[in-house]
Amino acid sequence: MPTPQHETVVVDGLALAQDLRKQMAEEIGRLQNAGRRAPCLAVVLVGDDPASASYIKGKRRACTRIGMDSREHDLPGTASEAEILDVVTSLNADDGVDGILVQLPLPKGVDANRVAAAVDPAKDVDGLSPTNAGLLFQDEPGLYACTPLGIMEILDRYEVPLEGAHAVVIGRSQIVGKPVSMLLLRRNATVTLCHSRTRDLAAVCRSADVLVAAAGVPRMVAPDWVRPGAAVIDVGVSEVDGELVGDVDFEGVRGIASLVTPHRRGVGPMTITMLLRNTLDAYRRRTGA
Ligand code: NAP
């Protein structure tokens, strides 16, 4: 049977991100013209993982471009959990710091949950502290994880209907799968959260109106996993033969889905933008600006 053809909208996450960053830059400009200091994001990098260093460089560049201050605290890969916690404690106490981000992954032997729990929830712009995770669970305002916020922003800007829709999320991590499931549920989607033990994942995905792929498995979402007309959000980033690829067979899914995010200029730019927005929100709440 021939596959039904759909006009597929390809999300331009970069354009959306630039639009939101321009608005934030204008707001920071207004605050500074009124004599206030700029918001400040502190990033903690432990070790010399090149991917982490590159992510941090991108985050700091994004801060600078919108007039936000950023500070970097580098620790050697041999740093103990106690040393990392000391840095977090001093940033918590620093009144000039609005947002704290501890770049993951942390070295072996360091408990990432304990480090996340040490970050002052008012400065926890990654949304990983138990307090902010709990606020999300309770449908209360808080600082939520950046990638899920970016995904919701894309779905809203592209007017993807969520009320009563079946949303299938692949991946149950604390930074993507679980929080995006909560945000989709909050919007009255019926959410199925899948993971590596899910039986017949392809069939579950085929029943999705909205499919969020966040497993980190290159091109796992094949065209026959996608219901014609579904909206497909590709979060995955993997390196295959020196090339970055997503979790979705983008070319195969084009023409079947109603909307798809490309693995470049898709979710990635929105994740950083939501980090900036969380930092600005944290600054506003802390300073009353
Ligand atoms: P993670 O912590 O490794 O979690 C991966 C999740 O996917 C786990 O829940 C795992 O299931 C599930 N999974 C793995 N293989 C699977 C399979 N074959 N079938 C079904 N489920 C499977 O990863 P993460 O931090 O959430 O990140 C996921 C991907 O998104 C990665 O590629 C990461 O690089 C990317 N990412 C991108 C952005 C962005 O801004 N674009 C931001 C964050 C992450 P189990 O729990 O059963 O092991």
Side-chain angles (χ1 to χ4, degrees), residues 43-195:
V43 290
V44 181
L45 175 63
V46 187
D48 51 11
D49 174 46
S52 292
S54 151
Y55 289 143
I56 285 199
K57 202 169 145 201
K59 287 166 186 172
R60 294 196 68 190
R61 199 171 42 217
C63 285
T64 307
R65 285 193 177 149
I66 66 161
M68 194 176 268
D69 287 338
S70 69
R71 295 191 201 165
E72 186 171 334
H73 297 262
D74 291 342
L75 291 170
T78 52
S80 67
E81 190 173 304
E83 286 168 317
I84 299 169
L85 291 175
D86 277 350
V87 172
V88 169
T89 305
S90 71
L91 292 172
N92 284 342
D94 189 333
D95 220 26
V97 170
D98 303 293
I100 302 171
L101 177 146
V102 182
Q103 183 66 43
L104 299 176
L106 289 169
K108 277 200 178 72
V110 176
D111 185 332
N113 280 342
R114 266 204 296 267
V115 173
V119 176
D120 177 351
K123 299 185 178 186
D124 167 34
V125 286
D126 239 355
L128 295 179
S129 69
T131 301
N132 281 313
L135 290 169
L136 172 61
F137 198 81
Q138 292 178 337
D139 285 342
E140 295 288 344
L143 293 167
Y144 306 148
C146 302
T147 303
L149 288 176
I151 293 169
M152 298 307 290
E153 197 72 35
I154 289 172
L155 292 171
D156 283 343
R157 289 288 184 119
Y158 282 85
E159 299 180 348
V160 175
L162 296 175
E163 173 107 13
H166 184 204
V168 172
V169 177
I170 315 174
R172 54 175 161 179
S173 71
Q174 290 183 49
I175 65 164
V176 189
K178 282 181 193 163
V180 81
S181 298
M182 286 295 141
L183 291 173
L184 288 162
L185 190 59
R186 182 182 287 191
R187 298 289 300 280
N188 295 324
T190 302
V191 182
T192 303
L193 182 50
C194 305
H195 45 79

